[in-house]
Amino acid sequence: MGDDEWRARLIWWVAILIVANSLVDTVIVAPLLVLPQMAEFFGTDQSAWLNASAILAGAMWAPLLGRTADVYGKRRILVIALLVGGAGALICLIAPNVGVFLLGRVIQGAAVGSVFITVVYIRQVFPARVGMTSVGIVTSGSAILGIASPFLFEAVVGAYGFRAVFVVSAALALAAATAVRVFLPESPVHAGGRVDVAGALLLGLGIAGVLSYISLAPAAGWTDTGLIVLLLTGIALLAAWVFTALRTAEPVVDLRMLTRPVIATLLVVVLGTGAYQALLQLIGIIGHTAPDEGLGYGLAGGSGSLGLMFALPALGAATGGVLAGWLGGRIGPARTLTWGMLIGIAAGIGLLLSTASFLPAAICAGFLGLTAGAVVTSGFNLSTTLVSGEKQGVVAALVQLMLGVGAVVLNIVGGSILGATAIPGGSTPSAQGVHGYILVMLAAFAVAAVIATWISTRAHRALPA
């Protein structure tokens, strides 16, 4: 096969994997546009569950998908995950009540939990010289599509109602699964052994229980009886999983695989992603406030200003992901991850100094996007260099899990800061709260940068990719 033909085939494979990853937008982002309509249709005031269920289910699915992908092949499990996600969309489409709808959302979560499979597939199938760059393109390509997709879904929903979201999701899942099965070869690396399904269920359900409590408690109350039961159940399931994992020959996640560099990488992912997502949440909050209201902050400008504040981070994430992949193949993913954290620190400082100036804040938001792209791409690239090929699926699944954990936990931390420092007599954030919020996220970036620097000094201990 000639170089031109091989290059064209790689480009085609990358395009297919980008489409597969874009399914996540139809599962998570698109339903946000129709939450009020769904809540009204199903007669519930718990709209948070309608969307959070798929995100939490993604965390539940990831460990099982990681181990099965290592054992049975990345392409095969990716196809199955996409089809399962499509089946979940069809259940949501025909759901007569909220219980059936939530079941569909949990099943849809398989698509959310499968993004990491595309990363491991690239690392094992693509030539090493383009592998890390391709990871950056695939993990960031959906961000570019995500800039236009809200406008598309808004038009579709306006014409056909909220259920159209799930029609599009099911159709895209079928198309992506077909393309992956027909055009992509199977990955060459397979682990031996079996899949510990019982362990995967204990781990997945335990994680989902704990994250459900963290996600929903701020609205329902930290002492809500039902949520406390959910938290305790999640902790008990996780404890049971640890007990069985230490006594199982082939656990779904081998705890011996969690070396210090691997754990450090996961910490950087949690802190970096969490700080970025939390700052993005803050921008959404203060973006509706005009500077002339005299609160000491405010980014509301003219028409379209808030849209620009979110479009620039999306563009930055796409750019940062591609650059991180390209640089990772040249200076190493650990150093690239460190630079990403340093950019996050600089952008956070800029945002701290411009909470009442739209254009400087928008530029800082764009640079925060660069950090997000670097965290995702370098986190996947680095983690898969720290273990052997037979364990890359599992470790990448853990990175995917940490992306969600970081976003949930630090968003809650940020919201608690704003609530505790609100202007007396109301819920409006104070300038002290806004600035304290940013300082906490800056500290998260700083700790992540220190850890990433430590990892880069130990890079010679990593196993070859």
Side-chain angles (χ1 to χ4, degrees), residues 15 24 59 94 109 149 160 162 177 230 259 271 288 323:
V24 176
I94 63 174
S149 61
Y160 302 104
F162 79 86
L230 190 63
T259 60
L271 294 171
H288 290 91
L323 285 176

Side-chain angles (χ1 to χ4, degrees), residues 57 120 128 148 227 264 374 392 394:
V120 183
L227 289 181
Q392 286 180 337
V394 171

Side-chain angles (χ1 to χ4, degrees), residues 143-144 146-148 150-151 276 280 283 304-319 358 362 365-367 369-370:
I144 298 176
I147 296 174
F151 301 100
Y276 163 74
L280 204 61
I283 288 172
S305 61
L306 189 59
L308 182 62
M309 290 293 295
F310 285 99
L312 286 178
L315 181 60
T319 304
F358 168 73
F367 278 99
L370 287 175

Side-chain angles (χ1 to χ4, degrees), residues 1-15:
M1 185 184 300
D3 288 342
D4 290 341
E5 185 179 354
W6 180 244
R7 188 178 300 111
R9 179 168 295 187
L10 289 179
I11 293 173
W12 175 234
W13 290 352
V14 165

Side-chain angles (χ1 to χ4, degrees), residues 146-436:
I147 296 174
S149 61
F151 301 100
L152 172 63
F153 278 111
E154 187 175 7
V156 171
V157 170
Y160 302 104
F162 79 86
R163 292 188 185 275
V165 166
F166 302 102
V167 175
V168 173
S169 184
L172 181 60
L174 178 61
T178 301
V180 169
R181 178 62 183 83
V182 172
F183 296 108
L184 271 59
E186 183 56 273
S187 57
V189 181
H190 293 259
R194 63 181 184 87
V195 176
D196 179 18
V197 177
L201 290 175
L202 287 174
L203 176 59
L205 292 174
I207 291 171
V210 174
L211 290 183
S212 295
Y213 174 80
I214 295 173
S215 300
L216 302 173
W222 294 98
T223 58
D224 179 84
T225 303
L227 289 181
I228 290 178
V229 171
L230 190 63
L231 172 65
L232 295 176
T233 301
I235 293 173
L237 290 173
L238 289 176
W241 169 74
V242 172
F243 180 82
T244 58
L246 294 174
R247 289 161 176 76
T248 301
E250 298 173 348
V252 66
V253 176
D254 189 348
L255 295 176
R256 292 166 296 183
M257 178 190 69
L258 300 180
T259 60
R260 283 185 292 176
V262 171
I263 294 173
T265 301
L266 297 177
L267 285 174
V268 174
V269 170
V270 167
L271 294 171
T273 304
Y276 163 74
Q277 291 288 351
L279 288 175
L280 204 61
Q281 174 180 259
L282 180 67
I283 288 172
I285 294 172
I286 65 178
H288 290 91
T289 305
D292 57 13
E293 291 186 26
L295 296 174
Y297 64 87
L299 300 175
S303 177
S305 61
L306 189 59
L308 182 62
M309 290 293 295
F310 285 99
L312 286 178
L315 181 60
T319 304
V322 175
L323 285 176
W326 181 79
L327 285 172
R330 286 154 179 79
I331 66 174
R335 291 182 180 178
T336 306
L337 191 58
T338 302
W339 278 106
M341 294 302 98
L342 294 176
I343 292 173
I345 293 172
I349 293 173
L351 184 61
L352 182 66
L353 299 176
S354 58
T355 52
S357 303
F358 168 73
L359 184 57
I363 294 172
C364 292
F367 278 99
L368 284 171
L370 287 175
T371 293
V375 170
V376 174
T377 298
S378 299
F380 279 125
N381 278 333
L382 177 58
S383 65
T384 51
T385 65
L386 296 174
V387 297
S388 60
E390 293 79 10
K391 297 179 180 178
Q392 286 180 337
V394 171
V395 77
L398 292 178
V399 171
Q400 171 114 15
L401 175 60
M402 292 303 107
L403 292 173
V405 170
V408 170
V409 172
L410 287 189
N411 273 342
I412 298 302
V413 170
S416 299
I417 293 172
L418 293 183
T421 57
I423 294 175
S427 59
T428 303
S430 65
Q432 176 190 3
V434 169
H435 295 151

